């Protein structure tokens, strides 16, 4: 799997994301239970058979993951393909959230 890089930040009032320090990590500044939503989207001409996305805490994969066979009923030629993951995760102060993705053709 590949750890995703982030390049745009829309809102970050607690300064979880610092691109100058890391484009792959979100450092949790306040301990608590967080609801995480992430999605990957890719070119319609690059169609994997199996796509995976998983949320990681401090580099360790969590049970918050999604995997899909992307052809068949889910595949629509000419449209971008999307796979999302969502879930609640418990974080301690200074834990690091990353998102890992992979696909196999």
């Amino acid at each position: 799997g590949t750890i995703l890089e982030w390049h745009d930040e829309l809102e970050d009032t607690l300064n979880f994301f610092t691109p100058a320090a890391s484009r792959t990590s979100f450092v949790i500044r306040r301990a608590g239970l967080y609801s995480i939503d992430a999605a990957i989207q890719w070119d319609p001409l690059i169609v994997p058979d199996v796509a995976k996305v998983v949320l990681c805490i401090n580099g360790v994969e969590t049970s918050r993951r999604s995997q899909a066979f992307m052809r068949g009923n889910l595949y629509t030629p000419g449209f971008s393909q999307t796979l999302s993951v969502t879930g609640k995760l418990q974080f301690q102060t200074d834990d690091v959230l990353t998102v890992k993705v992979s696909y196999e053709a």
Side-chain angles (χ1 to χ4, degrees), residues 44-102:
L45 298 178
I46 303 171
V47 183
D49 287 330
V50 177
K52 301 173 189 172
V53 60
V54 60
L55 302 177
C56 302
I57 300 176
N58 300 325
V60 178
E61 294 184 6
T62 69
S63 61
R64 299 299 180 240
R65 60 184 66 227
S66 185
Q67 177 175 326
F69 178 70
M70 298 306 295
R71 296 191 195 226
N73 293 334
L74 295 175
Y75 176 60
T76 306
F79 293 92
S80 62
Q81 305 299 299
T82 303
L83 182 63
S84 62
V85 63
T86 187
K88 293 184 179 180
L89 292 173
Q90 184 72 42
F91 290 93
Q92 301 302 316
T93 302
D94 296 327
D95 277 350
V96 175
L97 169 67
T98 54
V99 180
K100 185 187 288 189
V101 298
S102 67

Side-chain angles (χ1 to χ4, degrees), residues 8-49:
D8 294 315
E9 177 181 45
L10 299 179
E11 183 177 342
D12 185 8
T13 56
L14 295 176
N15 196 32
F16 285 4
F17 180 62
T18 309
S22 173
R23 289 198 175 277
T24 60
S25 302
F26 297 88
V27 179
I28 306 303
R29 306 292 181 203
R30 252 186 228 169
L33 182 65
Y34 289 82
S35 180
I36 310 294
D37 297 298
I40 58 171
Q41 185 176 27
W42 57 90
D43 186 311
L45 298 178
I46 303 171
V47 183
D49 287 330

